[in-house]
Amino acid sequence: MTDRREHNRIDAEIHRTDTSNDPFAAAVRATRMPMIITDPYQPDNPIIFVNAAFSRLTGYSHDEIIGRNCRFLQGPETNRDDVAKIRDAIARRVTIEIDVRNHKKNGELFWNRVLISPVFDIDGNLTYFFASQFDVTIQREHLHTLSTALKDREHMLDALLRSSAEVRYRMSADWARMLQLSDGKFLADTTSETSEWVERYIPAETRQGLQAEIDRALHTQTTFHLEHQVYRADGSIGWMSSRAVPVLNDLGVVVEWYGAGSDITERKQAEAASLNRSISLEHQIADRTAELRLYGDIIQSSAAPICAFDNEYRLIAFNRAHSDEFYRIFGCRVQLGEVFPDLFPPDQAPIMRGFMARALEGEAYTVTEEFGDPNLIKPYWEVSYSPLRDEGGRIIGAFHYAKDISDRLRAEKELAQTQEALRQAQKMEAVGQLTGGLAHDFNNLLAGISGSLELMQTRMQQGRFKDVERYMAAAQGASKRAAALTHRLLAFSRRQTLDPKPTNVNRLVAGMQEMVQRTVGPAISIEVVGATGIWPTLVDPSQLENALLNLCINARDAMADGGRITVETANKWMDERSARQHDMPEGQYLALSVTDTGTGMPPEVIARVFEPFYTTKPIGEGTGLGLSMIYGFAQQSGGQVRIYSEVGQGTTVTIYLPRHHGEVEDEEASKTKAALPRSEQNETVLVVDDEPTVRMLITDILEDLGYTAIEAGDSAAGLKVLQSDVRIDLLVTDVGLPGGMNGRQMADAARIARPHLKVLFITGYAENALLGNGRLDPGMAVLTKPFAMNDMAARIRSIIESGKQQARWS
């Protein structure tokens, strides 16, 4: 008997040499991402499959690639360490993602991001290696450019610091030791630590104020800022404006302080010399306006820069903070009588003059603007303007006070960047959880499908046709479960194609009661409480049935020893407060609730139950998509889902759906369907789909029903047929089509010349906007892929026959 491993290898060889029926290879062939497949069982692991996207990326044709090892893209610039890592991953049969420097056929160098992954069969044996490629040359070059710019900026900053006349220093976290003092021209430098820096640099009369500012900075961990006396390098006493900021570690703890100081001795001497002139001017201003009488005891002591000016824009007063800040950002001192806007750089002077003019016209307001030396970093200022009036109410000038808000804006920007980084990290975590769960479930289903198809092929070659039906049933079952998984994911993301109808939920629940009872078993009792006068809702009935069944199954699983499930309907009016609590718009809603007497859930579980692939059930007993599907379905239907649960007290899940102001179709009338005969009048159906397999299947269905079928592979070809004189009784079209327009746009264009054209949309995924947000025009219907062939046949016959009846009645 053939060894099991050899048997699997032979099967894999068959699969490798004929990938035309391999759904995985077909998917790889159709994708736009460059991909290849290699055979590890042949010498040198050659390429046995390549898609068109890979040929476009490298410039090599299909025949130039097949049979070669991937190293033919490498060259002298390819990092040999990267190549060694790839070989190691292939030898160990593990996945690797890496950027490699490769060559195209024309010799062009490019960065290739390669993802190589081994693919195993159902028995865990290696079948082939799958590799996807992605050209990341632009990203890599962009990163290189950013790195170069960063280095240039660091060099510029270093040169700027070295050219500064300020003294720079470093202090220990508690200010007890000076770690370094350098680059000063008016203080004696020191490169060694010293704990006697106060005695060395600070006069006795200044030390108390200095210590107070240090204590404040240590307590608040904010910027140290003080003008104080110092011993200069020549032994004289001068003045220094000192500013230091705390340096924090990753835990937010201050590890040391960085500071800078400038010599302000000359300014202080000039201020002392002009003190008498300032006092005299203050008295004159106090006589002219009551506001300026406060200048001496309030304005002058304010930390905010304040100045006053007359109707000719000339300065008539300013406080010390204004003088200091103007000197700090422009390097010069303002003087009384100067035209204030003319002191600003040419690009800023008109802006300042405009602000002052508004105040002189009587307007009081606040603006935010940046002012400063254009060659340096310009601070952002929040400036408030007010007019000055005499006793008769006449405007004699105006004043402003300003606040440097650069640090605040910088902190707000950093906070926003941090919050955005956190949101991105949370998003990537959610994406990782979603893709991991999706890959797990789909790989299981694909293993069942591909394994069944391979065994069917083997049994047919062996002439053992009795086993074929069993494998066929297994493949069909796995395909249906894959379709159900896709629908649940689309429901979670609110992207599934819905077919909403006015629905009586009491009637729907009553119709499902027997099936729910059989599903949950005899140990659990089902109680249905339907409200009288229940409002209808516009919803997809089959999806609502699926949601109700999922909730009842979850309730059953929470009651291992039996219990009671109560299904209840009610009319709910959501006022503003209730709507805000439930995170939904105000209005009238139909509420469908499922309550169990089970184990209940703690708050941390409730917070995650709507996450995809999150489940508290043992491995293999739950996909974690049930509640996420219900959540997405409710949101897409315009409603909401809410959970109330207590540990040991059970759980209530309520689906809220908007009230529909309209009639509900009579149930008995909807169940009555006339027999649908075969076509005997040469009706013609146009089938438009870019997937040849789908067109083939639908064409076979039409031929079985006696219809004539016309095929088109894109919207342009389909519209050409629709705009001709050919008889078309029904258009069957995919929603997503190549050719310049989608299926809905093609159908709308065709209805200009054929206003009564019947249309059946078939779609695996379609945005609601393409289908009119679930509200199709008369004569249009939708069927979701994948579909049963019998369902497709019945829908085609039903649409065409309904068109005949409408024509007879009109």
Side-chain angles (χ1 to χ4, degrees), residues 235-256:
S236 64
I237 295 179
W239 283 85
M240 183 172 80
S241 177
S242 178
R243 187 181 186 91
V245 296
V247 180
L248 308 179
N249 62 14
D250 294 339
L251 300 178
V253 178
V254 176
V255 294
E256 61 180 271

Side-chain angles (χ1 to χ4, degrees), residues 377-526:
I377 297 176
K378 294 190 289 186
Y380 272 93
W381 296 92
E382 184 178 84
V383 189
S384 296
Y385 286 86
S386 293
L388 287 173
R389 301 178 186 271
D390 62 14
E391 294 179 356
R394 295 186 300 272
I395 296 176
I396 60 173
F399 73 95
H400 75 224
Y401 63 90
K403 182 192 302 181
D404 186 347
I405 60 172
S406 303
D407 290 342
R408 189 188 77 192
L409 294 181
R410 188 180 303 109
E412 291 174 354
K413 181 179 179 181
E414 291 174 354
L415 177 60
Q417 292 173 341
T418 302
Q419 291 173 337
E420 178 60 28
L422 177 60
R423 284 192 292 269
Q424 181 68 15
Q426 292 172 334
K427 181 175 70 176
M428 294 309 297
E429 180 181 359
V431 169
Q433 180 177 334
L434 176 62
T435 54
L438 181 61
H440 173 270
D441 286 0
F442 264 110
N443 282 338
N444 287 340
L445 296 169
L446 288 173
I449 295 172
S450 62
S452 297
L453 292 174
E454 291 180 13
L455 288 173
M456 286 170 58
Q457 185 181 36
T458 301
R459 294 295 183 266
M460 293 173 67
Q461 291 172 347
Q462 295 171 345
R464 297 166 58 184
F465 296 101
K466 292 178 61 178
D467 294 334
V468 170
E469 184 174 354
R470 177 161 60 96
Y471 297 135
M472 185 181 299
Q476 289 176 336
S479 299
K480 291 177 180 178
R481 291 195 300 275
L485 178 59
T486 302
H487 289 164
R488 287 184 174 186
L489 288 169
L490 290 174
F492 165 73
S493 61
R494 290 177 275 171
R495 292 295 187 270
Q496 67 176 332
T497 305
L498 298 179
D499 188 13
K501 297 180 177 64
T503 303
N504 184 314
V505 178
N506 275 353
R507 186 188 302 165
L508 181 145
V509 173
M512 290 189 64
Q513 184 173 359
E514 183 179 349
M515 181 182 69
V516 170
Q517 184 66 74
R518 288 199 306 269
T519 302
V520 302
I524 298 175
S525 62
I526 303 293

Side-chain angles (χ1 to χ4, degrees), residues 522-783:
I524 298 175
S525 62
I526 303 293
E527 181 181 0
V528 175
V529 182
T532 303
I534 197 72
W535 294 329
T537 182
L538 188 66
V539 70
D540 188 322
S542 63
Q543 294 297 332
L544 183 57
E545 289 176 349
N546 189 31
L548 176 59
L549 184 60
N550 267 287
L551 291 178
C552 291
I553 292 173
N554 284 348
R556 176 202 65 187
D557 294 342
M559 298 182 290
D561 299 326
R564 183 179 70 258
I565 296 176
T566 303
V567 182
E568 184 176 4
T569 62
N571 295 328
K572 296 288 186 181
W573 172 262
M574 293 289 178
D575 58 18
E576 181 180 359
R577 180 180 177 184
S578 299
R580 187 167 56 251
Q581 291 176 343
H582 287 76
D583 191 22
M584 53 199 296
E586 295 181 60
Q588 295 174 318
Y589 292 86
L590 178 282
L592 173 62
S593 302
V594 176
T595 302
D596 63 62
T597 58
T599 56
M601 293 179 285
E604 61 270 18
V605 173
I606 295 176
R608 299 190 60 190
V609 291
F610 293 131
E611 295 180 11
F613 296 106
Y614 176 76
T615 178
T616 59
K617 299 176 182 178
I619 296 176
E621 295 185 17
T623 65
L625 283 174
L627 285 175
S628 61
M629 177 274 293
I630 294 170
Y631 175 82
F633 159 69
Q635 293 271 316
Q636 191 175 356
S637 301
Q640 185 61 278
V641 180
R642 284 292 172 261
I643 292 182
Y644 175 78
S645 182
E646 291 186 10
V647 176
Q649 301 298 317
T651 301
T652 296
V653 182
T654 302
I655 302 176
Y656 295 93
L657 298 169
R659 177 185 180 181
H660 173 66
H661 295 276
E663 300 297 326
V664 178
E665 181 182 357
D666 181 71
E667 183 178 15
E668 295 301 324
S670 64
K671 290 181 179 179
T672 304
K673 296 182 180 178
L676 300 175
R678 284 173 51 81
S679 172
E680 297 178 356
Q681 301 179 11
N682 296 321
E683 284 95 350
T684 303
V685 178
L686 173 61
V687 181
V688 184
D689 199 302
D690 57 333
E691 177 54 52
T693 304
V694 175
R695 295 201 307 270
M696 176 194 72
L697 295 173
I698 297 175
T699 300
D700 289 348
I701 294 173
L702 291 169
E703 291 176 351
D704 290 344
L705 294 174
Y707 296 109
T708 300
I710 301 176
E711 297 185 38
D714 57 40
S715 58
L719 186 60
K720 184 176 181 180
V721 175
L722 290 165
Q723 292 177 339
S724 69
D725 296 331
V726 175
R727 172 180 177 177
I728 303 294
D729 298 280
L730 173 64
L731 167 63
V732 178
T733 178
D734 193 1
V735 176
L737 289 175
M741 60 179 66
N742 58 49
R744 178 61 189 265
Q745 293 169 334
M746 180 185 67
D748 290 341
R751 279 195 163 190
I752 297 175
R754 301 174 185 259
H756 302 296
L757 176 68
K758 302 293 181 183
V759 183
L760 174 59
F761 295 105
I762 53 175
T763 177
Y765 161 70
E767 289 282 0
N768 276 344
L770 298 182
L771 295 178
N773 291 315
R775 294 174 176 82
L776 295 173
D777 294 339
M780 291 183 174
V782 61
L783 187 63

Side-chain angles (χ1 to χ4, degrees), residues 245-305:
V245 296
V247 180
L248 308 179
N249 62 14
D250 294 339
L251 300 178
V253 178
V254 176
V255 294
E256 61 180 271
W257 296 74
Y258 284 176
S262 57
D263 186 358
I264 59 172
T265 304
E266 292 182 2
R267 173 173 59 92
K268 287 293 185 178
Q269 293 172 346
E271 288 175 357
S274 63
L275 182 58
N276 290 334
R277 293 195 302 271
S278 297
I279 294 174
S280 175
L281 182 61
E282 290 171 13
H283 286 305
Q284 295 176 32
I285 295 172
D287 292 339
R288 297 176 62 187
T289 174
E291 287 88 351
L292 292 182
R293 292 193 187 101
L294 300 175
Y295 179 78
D297 52 2
I298 296 179
I299 296 177
Q300 187 64 23
S301 63
S302 173

